């Protein structure tokens, strides 16, 4: 429910009352500030409330942006201010102070604008949406009113609304091949009452059907799979555009959008592998390798962004950074912007490539192209970020260090070693953490690859890996390159599972390993989305119960040493199912509870690489 309190008398011919009702507001009218304060107190505390000057002239979409966005406790545009339940106390306090001061003691004539001035004086964070060409004004005389109305007539707010539904920064394929028409699909959905979550679910179902078509192993199935994958991506763009078009943001929606993107892509990999197997070609190792590479790319993105989140807010990202200066210079040359966005193979370009290659080639060629493209993109983006980190000067905050520690996903073994190494780690050089994480990961993966399957050496290497992992996180991750620690740990864990499954040389081992890595990757993505939503990391009991990255790595090496190859496959399958059940149940419980508990609405703008 939402209530709007109109202050003053509407001007003849004004549409403000109809506009507010069209946005879902119940209207009440106050003739002065005292009456407005009384009406404000009567509105139930769990409702959104808005103070709107009755003389307001502007576009309906300006009101929509200023008064209905669920992401912000307090928001305002000229002539209107709104508060959700979380912001009601600040609004009530500002109103009371304004009235106790005698009202018109400032030169600002509009009560809503005077309240906004009082909120600013309190240091309260008030969201002010970018209106662009949209009009929002409180004219004080007939001439100004006529000019404002003419300005409203001159600008098509529906065209502005459609344009703003599209992300301002996106990939080339999405910008020029999808968004020109997907925005109209979003509007069609909005006018029929569909929600972004429903469109997100439709996108998932379409992708799963595409994976099923790919699994048939026939040329017709591959062609249908490619077409359906593109259709799924169109819907994937549409759900975000619908959220922006109708301002339907939610905590649950952001999680579904981000999680389903990963589920769609990795399910499609599995479908391609199944289809290839029907044709006599075993590409499960390639499918698992593609999932490992893509997941590690995402972890690099997440870790780097979290490590520099606070520094960005402080305006420090570009300090003493020739790399950033070069990037800024290249941005001034338009075509280089698009080239750099394309070569990192973002989701649009990546899915388009996969869809086309599926339709016209074979799954093996598709995976080769995907692996080569993603490897190049990973090398390009990681090298740039390493150079930025080495050439800039910025302070690492406790929040950033805590986020990196959460992304590391250390279990009891690594945490125990970290505690033991805590004093000694203080004396080590600043680059120690990423170096030991890399060396420990290489040790376990290479040992698994170069020794006989079933031997004891991978267990020894896994114990060394647990020790080096503990040393890597023994002190706060505030070094220039400490954001590399989580991706190195991810690559080590996933790579060990892949290598041991491949070395077992038994049918079913690689598909089982694919399922295990998918379950663990879901847990790692879930950790990222919780951190992004300021909800903190998953509970400690969950991390302990699933062993942490080093515990799972050690367990897999022990299973490989103690069991036959066939038994190892069964064990991997059972482990994958158990982990999936635990992390999924906890994740769903958390996000549904956060949604029902009124957590601040958010919107995930999708991956950048």
């Amino acid at each position: 429910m939402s209530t709007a309190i109109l202050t003053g008398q509407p001007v003849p011919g004004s549409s403000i009352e109809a506009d507010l009702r069209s946005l879902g507001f119940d209207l009440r009218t106050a003739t002065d500030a005292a009456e407005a304060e009384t009406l404000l107190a009567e509105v139930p505390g769990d409702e959104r409330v808005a103070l709107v000057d009755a003389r307001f002239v502007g576009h309906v979409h300006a009101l929509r942006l200023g008064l209905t966005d669920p992401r912000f406790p307090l928001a305002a545009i000229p002539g209107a201010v709104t508060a959700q339940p979380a912001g009601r106390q600040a609004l009530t306090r500002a109103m009371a102070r304004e009235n106790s001061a005698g009202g018109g003691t400032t030169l600002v004539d509009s009560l809503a604008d005077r309240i906004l001035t009082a909120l600013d004086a309190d240091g309260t964070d008030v969201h002010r949406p970018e209106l662009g060409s949209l009009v929002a004004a409180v004219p004080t005389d007939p001439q100004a009113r006529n000019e404002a109305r003419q300005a409203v007539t001159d600008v098509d707010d529906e065209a502005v609304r459609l344009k703003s539904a599209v992300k301002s920064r996106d990939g080339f394929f999405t910008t020029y091949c999808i968004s020109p028409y997907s925005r109209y699909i979003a509007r069609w959905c909005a006018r029929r009452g569909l929600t972004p979550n429903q469109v997100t679910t439709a996108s998932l179902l379409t992708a799963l059907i595409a994976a099923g078509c790919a699994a048939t192993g026939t040329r017709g199935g591959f062609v249908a799979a490619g077409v359906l994958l593109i259709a799924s991506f169109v819907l994937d763009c549409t759900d975000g555009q619908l959220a922006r078009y109708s301002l339907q943001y939610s905590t649950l929606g952001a999680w579904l959008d981000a999680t389903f993107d990963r589920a769609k892509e990795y399910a499609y990999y599995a479908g391609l592998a199944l289809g290839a197997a029907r044709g006599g070609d075993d590409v499960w190792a390639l499918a698992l390798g593609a999932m490992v590479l893509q997941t590690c790319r995402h972890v690099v993105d997440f870790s780097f962004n979290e490590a520099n989140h606070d520094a960005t807010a402080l305006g420090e990202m570009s300090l003493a950074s020739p790399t950033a200066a070069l990037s800024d210079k290249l941005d001034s040359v338009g075509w280089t912007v698009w080239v750099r966005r394309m070569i990192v193979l973002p989701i649009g370009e990546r899915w388009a490539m996969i869809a086309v290659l599926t339709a016209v080639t074979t799954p093996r060629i598709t995976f080769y192209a995907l692996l080569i493209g993603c490897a190049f993109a990973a090398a390009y983006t990681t090298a740039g970020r390493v150079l930025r980190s080495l050439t800039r000067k910025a302070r690492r905050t406790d929040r950033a260090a805590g986020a990196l520690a959460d992304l590391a996903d250390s279990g009891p073994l690594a945490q125990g070693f970290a505690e033991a190494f805590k004093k000694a780690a203080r004396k080590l050089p600043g680059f120690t953490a990423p170096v030991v994480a890399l060396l420990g990961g290489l040790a376990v993966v290479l040992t698994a690859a170069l020794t006989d399957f079933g031997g004891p050496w991978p267990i020894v290497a896994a114990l060394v890996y647990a020790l080096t992992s503990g040393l890597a996180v023994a002190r706060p991750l505030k070094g220039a390159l400490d954001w590399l620690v989580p991706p190195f740990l991810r690559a080590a864990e996933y790579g060990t599972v892949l290598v041991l499954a491949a070395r077992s040389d038994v049918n079913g081992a690689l598909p089982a390993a694919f399922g295990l890595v998918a379950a663990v990757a879901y847990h790692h993505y879930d950790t990222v989305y919780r951190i992004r939503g300021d909800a903190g990391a998953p509970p400690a009991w969950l991390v302990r119960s699933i062993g942490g990255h080093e515990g799972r790595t050690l367990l897999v090496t022990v299973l490989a040493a103690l069991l036959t190859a066939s038994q190892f496959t069964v064990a991997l399958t059972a482990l994958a199912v158990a982990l999936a059940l635990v992390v999924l149940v906890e994740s769903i419980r958390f996000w549904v509870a956060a949604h029902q508990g009124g957590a601040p609405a958010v919107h995930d703008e999708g991956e950048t690489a």
Side-chain angles (χ1 to χ4, degrees), residues 345 353 357 364-374:
L345 212 62
M353 181 187 74
L357 291 177
R364 180 173 289 274
I365 293 175
T366 301
F367 280 123
Y368 281 152
L370 181 63
L371 286 165
I372 292 171
C374 287

Side-chain angles (χ1 to χ4, degrees), residues 122-451:
D122 288 339
T124 305
D125 186 18
V126 181
H127 172 66
R128 291 173 171 83
E130 292 287 340
L131 298 180
S133 59
L134 295 175
V135 176
V138 181
T140 57
D141 58 72
Q143 180 179 350
R145 188 176 306 114
N146 290 335
E147 291 175 352
R149 286 175 173 172
Q150 183 59 46
V152 171
T153 303
D154 292 343
V155 176
D156 183 353
D157 72 335
E158 179 60 20
V160 173
R161 188 181 179 189
L162 272 174
K163 183 178 179 180
S164 63
V166 178
K167 285 193 294 186
S168 58
R169 185 183 186 277
D170 220 329
F172 181 88
F173 179 77
T174 304
T175 299
Y176 291 104
C177 299
I178 304 296
S179 293
Y181 58 88
S182 62
R183 70 184 74 182
Y184 295 101
I185 300 175
R187 181 172 67 180
W188 183 90
C189 293
R191 291 177 175 177
R192 282 152 184 81
L194 297 177
T195 67
N197 289 353
Q198 290 172 330
V199 178
T200 300
T201 303
S203 176
L204 173 66
L205 293 175
T206 304
L208 293 179
I209 295 172
C213 291
T216 63
T218 64
R219 178 51 52 195
F222 289 147
V223 171
V227 172
L228 288 171
L229 188 63
I230 293 296
S232 174
F233 183 64
V234 172
L235 292 173
D236 183 54
C237 294
T238 299
D239 64 3
Q241 291 165 358
L242 175 58
R244 287 181 286 273
Y245 180 85
S246 56
L247 301 185
Q248 296 184 74
Y249 302 113
S250 69
T251 300
L252 182 63
W255 171 69
L256 289 176
D257 183 45
T259 303
F260 283 5
D261 278 352
R262 306 286 75 77
K264 288 181 288 188
E265 185 167 2
Y266 299 156
Y268 192 82
Y269 292 176
L272 278 178
L274 288 170
R278 286 180 177 271
D281 190 12
D282 185 357
V283 296
W284 274 105
L286 297 178
L288 180 51
M291 181 167 65
V292 169
L293 178 56
Q294 190 57 34
T295 303
C296 290
R297 280 188 66 201
H298 285 142
V299 176
V300 168
D301 294 339
F302 299 147
S303 296
F304 181 79
N305 291 336
E306 287 302 325
N308 295 289
H309 174 80
D310 298 316
T312 303
L314 294 170
E316 298 178 346
M317 274 298 293
S318 61
L319 290 180
S321 176
T323 309
L326 175 61
S327 179
D328 293 340
K329 184 179 296 185
L330 288 174
D331 284 343
S332 64
V333 184
W335 64 269
T336 66
V337 175
W338 290 116
V339 170
R340 285 184 292 144
R341 290 186 190 179
M342 292 174 67
I343 62 177
V344 300
L345 212 62
I347 187 169
E349 277 74 1
R350 191 167 69 249
W351 283 26
M353 181 187 74
I354 294 171
V356 171
L357 291 177
T358 298
V360 301
T361 65
T362 65
R364 180 173 289 274
I365 293 175
T366 301
F367 280 123
Y368 281 152
L370 181 63
L371 286 165
I372 292 171
C374 287
F376 176 81
Y380 171 80
T381 55
T382 304
R385 287 165 177 170
V386 168
L387 287 174
R388 283 176 181 260
S389 299
L390 291 175
T391 57
R392 59 183 284 269
K393 296 183 183 298
R395 298 187 305 273
R396 300 290 182 184
T397 64
D398 291 337
R399 180 201 175 279
L404 292 179
D406 291 334
L407 290 173
D409 191 35
S410 300
L413 267 178
Q415 290 176 354
F417 284 128
E419 190 65 28
F421 290 136
K422 185 173 292 186
K423 291 184 179 180
R426 297 172 184 169
K427 303 176 183 179
L428 297 176
F431 56 81
T432 299
V435 169
V436 298
L438 174 62
L439 293 178
L442 286 175
V444 67
V445 173
L446 291 178
T447 302
L450 300 177
T451 60

